[in-house]
Structures are given as structure tokens and as C-alpha cells.
Amino acid sequence: AGGPDNNKLIAVAVREGGGAFLSSCSRLCSEPAIDLGNRLDLPPRSPSADSQTTGRSQLDAIVHGEYTASASCDVPSHLGLVLSDSSQVVSPVLAEACRLGEAEVLVLGIRPLGGEGMPLLLREVLDGLYARFGPDGRAPGGRVMSAGLDVGGVVDLIAVRVIDFGLLASHTTPAYAVAALRQFRDFAQLMKRTPDEASDGWWMPRESGAPTVLLCFRGEAMISRFSNFLSKEWKLPASTGGDILFTPTVLAARQAFGTFFSGLGPSAFEQSVPCDNLRSPLRFSLPSVGGVEGGNDFRISEANLFPQKLSNQLTVAMLLPPKLDAVLFRTLTACEQNEFTLVAAALSGRLGEPIAKTLFDQEVADGHMSSADWPAFHESVAQNAADHPEDNDFKCLWLVFARHQAIKRLAQLCGHGDPSLNQQCLRAALRTGRDHIHNGIRCSTSSATAEGLLVALGRDLSQGLESLTALEPLPPLRSLGVEDGDRMLQCTLIVGALAKDAGFGLVRVLRELQSAVGEQGLALVGLSASDAAAAAGAAPSGGDSAWLLWQAPALNAQLLRWSETRPASSAAVDLAASSGRLILAACEGLVSVERARRALAAVSASMPKGALEWYCSASTGEAAVDVACFFSELHGSKHYIVEG
């Protein structure tokens, strides 16, 4: 709207979703708004065939001298807004999903102001939010937000409503809409300076023609981030003056969205960053479409924005020398604190070409490396043609975790690919080392990469898995050898089984085992851990990554046969068969049998009684047979497996 002396246009109403609501008006274009008289040159215009027919019949009546007085159309119910009562919708896992990293919805409300104040205020609000949460946003100290330091952290504007509640009130605002608006809070209420009831009626205009603006945003931890921004950083006078309100909880946001924004399709707003960008939350919440992670069509639906159940997602981490033991302890500690479930773990040697290329391409796409880094990266992790396959000096550890939003959360814990940048930004991260080539840990940063790594991991470890799950003859055809000059070293087998009702997972057991073994001067040179129940809840039932599912049952069969020759192992083997939670490890060092027993006693003492059953080889001779029975390769070891 604008005056004759004013070339400005002021928006007085905004809605999305088209004009389908107008179909309820029985007189839409059915009666001319002016007396046509003899102006037969004005053809009737209507968006529907029915009203066109009605309009022509009325025009015929005018032609034959019958005059019909014009009448105004009815005001559409709720001003044409599609309101929905969501006050009774139950979201049992919504708060838990958001706590685990699901992107939250935040609805902002701008108190209605008269005149030209509202457009100017709206622009200031959007500018301020864009500067803090947009793709070019900066941290509070002014530092540019690098993608590796802001994984999944960008915020998207997904919908807008501009509503004149003063006019809507004359047509009875629904009680559920009022209830949703009453849950909004302003700056003074956030700071506990005024009671919650102080903002009642904030949406009602103080003068006619003043609309209320509702803005709907989506981003990880959006409510707490905005609360911190509003209380500590935002210098906009309207924000501290009580003109900006927000939904303070995920349930309040759920009710506000369902009331004012339900029924939308694809967002009318462009995403802040492409959905394959490391900062986009869509990269981690949507499956790949046509080879593009997350696709490009995110539909604004309550099913997409407010999950009704938690979904275990698989992610993969690879720990590398030279500080593998230190990185392993930190990684397992952080993963336990962040409620990850360890699905599988395995020691491996140097990487094959396909898996090394998959990791490198991901690091380049994420901006942690450049194409010029390939020779150095390849030399640090991959096999060369001149390498000897039996070279046991190099070892890396693969970890497969499950959790809601597992891929995004582990990528956030790892931080930027360059450890020095994490230190400069005072960012606590798992990556440690001298540069971006040797940073201690790599992990999948998308569902496509996670699946690719799982497939490649199953393929690269197939030989070891077959040796673990095949029904080897007892005693095995393989034997254990040791390099000349290191015959004082011994190698022994450890079997550990965790009860289903232990109250914790293999993450804690592996961390305590690695720490206890290290304190005894031993090194892990062989490792295979699996949690059958966790794999069944997260891994696909078919495809190459299904090795996570079939290895445990086959391994139990081998264990049961082996335990017939080792009666002392029956308690651990029986518990592993019932719970599906098993750790097999080979330890190397001086007097390894005795020291491994002391390490296991320390681990067991740190666990609740009955939670853990374990077995260690009884003698050096038995240990040599036991290790050869379950491992076809040892890594970082002076011992080696001899076939035949």
C-alpha cells in the first residue's frame, strides 16, 4: 500500500501456499464490483469455471435490463490463514532428538508496530540474525566461522507469516492460536526480570493496520543459541525493549509451527548454504538423492522438522599413528560422554587404494586438504606397490559407532582437519598431530561416505573376518611366529564378554582395556569387537555393509567349538553368545600372559559385578594356539601369523 505522494510500497500482509482458501467464497467474481451498465466490452474474469458461468449469466441479466446490486465477498475464515490445532500433539522423543543433535525449529515473533516502523524493524532483525547465524556469520569474537569448526551449524529461514491479529480478532482468534502465542518470551522474561504472564497479548496491535510478524528458523541447538545471542550479544534496541519474542522450548516451537505454518511444501526461501556443504544440517539429516547428499528439495513438513522416533545412524572413524593410543583413549571417552554405541572395532594395516581415495576425496571436498596433498596422504596411510604385504609395523584402528545424528556429532567432535587451527580457535577437538596430513583421526562426514567406508572396510577386512568366523580346525593350521631378536616377547589372547543389562556399552570396556593393557607395558596387536544388538538396530540387512550383522553369529559358533578345548573360557563364551557383545584382543609384550591377567583383573574391578566375563590364555603355548585360531594378521607387532 502507498499514498499518491509516496512511491514506497509497504507490505501489509504476507502468506505462503497460494489462494486455495478463496474457493470457499460463494460470491468470488460472481457479482461485478461496479455497475457495468452498457460497458459490454468488459468480459468477466474469474479463476474458476463455475464463477465464470455465474458471471456470464449475471452479465446476460444486465443486458436484458435486470440490474443486480454488487456485494462484497465474505472475509475468508482466519483471513485465509491455514491454522491448525496442534496443542494436543504428543512428541515423546522430540526433546531427546534435539538434545542428540537434531536441528531445532525456532519461531520468532515481532510485536506489531504502526506506520513504517514494522518494515524497518523487520529488516534490522533479519540483518542481525543473518550476521550471527547466516552463511557469512561470525563467532562472538568476530572470527569467521570455518566449515570444519561449524559442522552442521548454519541456520535456515524456512517460513514467514505477517498477520493482523486486530482484524483477525473480530472473527474470533481460535483459542489454540492464542495458547501458542502465549508461550512466546521476550528479553525481560528470559532474564527473569518479569513474570511469564507479562507478555500476554503481545500480538495485539496498539493501532489499526499494524501486523504481527512470525519468522520460522531451523538450526542445531537453535533455541539455546538464540537465547544466548539475545541475552548477551544482540544490541538491537527492539530486542532488549521487548519487541522481539521467541519460543523458549522445542515443544513451544512445535505448537507454534503446527498452528501457523502447517501445510507448507518446499520452502520459499533459498537454503543458506548448499545442502552438501559441511555447515548445512540437511547434509546429515536427509538421504542422498541422485548422488547429491541431501538432495535439494527439503519439504517443510512436521514429519521432517519434528521426528517421532530416534534413528540409529552409523558412522565410521579411523585412528592413525603415531599417537594412536592417546587418540583412542580420548575418542572413546568423548564418544561415551556423547552416548555413542560402539558397533564394531578392528585393527588393520595400511589402507587399500579405494578406501584411501574415498577418505582423501572427502577431506578435499570438506576443505581440509587440497588435491596437491595426495602424495603425502597416500604415503602416510596407503599401500604402495613396493610395500610387502607381510609388513606388520603399521597399524590403524577402525571404529564403527551408532547414534542419532552420529555422523554430524562425530564430525563436530573431530573438529577441523588441521589440529593447529583447532588450537588457535581454542576448540577442543579429537584431532591432534603435527599437521593436516597426520592429525590422528579421520571420520565420515556424510551418509554417503559412511556407507562407502563401511563397504570398503568390510571388503578390506574380509580376510580377517573370514578367519574369525570360519570353522577353523582345532588346533588351527596356522601358527604364530616371531621375528629374530624379539623372542623374549610373548603374545596372548584376551576374550571379554559384556552383559546386555550392564548399563553401558563396549565403548567403556575397550577404553578401560586399552588403558589397563598400556599400564602393564603391553600393546594391542590384534582386535575385533562387535555388538550384535547395536548392529541389528543400525546396520542395513542387505548389501556389503551387512558384515556387521553376520560376523557375530558365525564368530559365536567358532568360539563355542574353541571353548571345548578351553573349559575356563566357558563363562565368557556363554555370555558372548547370549548378549552378542564381544571383544577379542591379542596383546604383545614381556611376560604377556601374566600381565594380561593383571590388566583384565583391573578392568573387571572397575565394572559392576556380573557385567563382564573374561578369559586370558593360561600359558604361552596355549596363547600361541589361541591367537592363531582367531587372527590371520597382527599389526604393529613383532609376531606374525604363519599359514599352513
Side-chain angles (χ1 to χ4, degrees), residues 458-469:
R459 184 170 55 246
D460 281 15
L461 298 180
S462 60
Q463 182 180 356
L465 291 172
E466 288 171 1
S467 68
L468 284 171
T469 58

Side-chain angles (χ1 to χ4, degrees), residues 560-599:
L560 288 172
R561 292 179 66 250
W562 167 79
S563 67
E564 294 175 359
T565 64
R566 303 286 187 266
S569 68
S570 60
V573 172
D574 291 344
L575 182 57
S578 62
S579 69
R581 308 168 92 179
L582 173 70
I583 291 180
L584 286 173
C587 296
E588 182 184 72
L590 296 173
V591 199
S592 64
V593 173
E594 180 181 346
R595 292 185 177 184
R597 287 182 172 275
R598 289 202 294 262

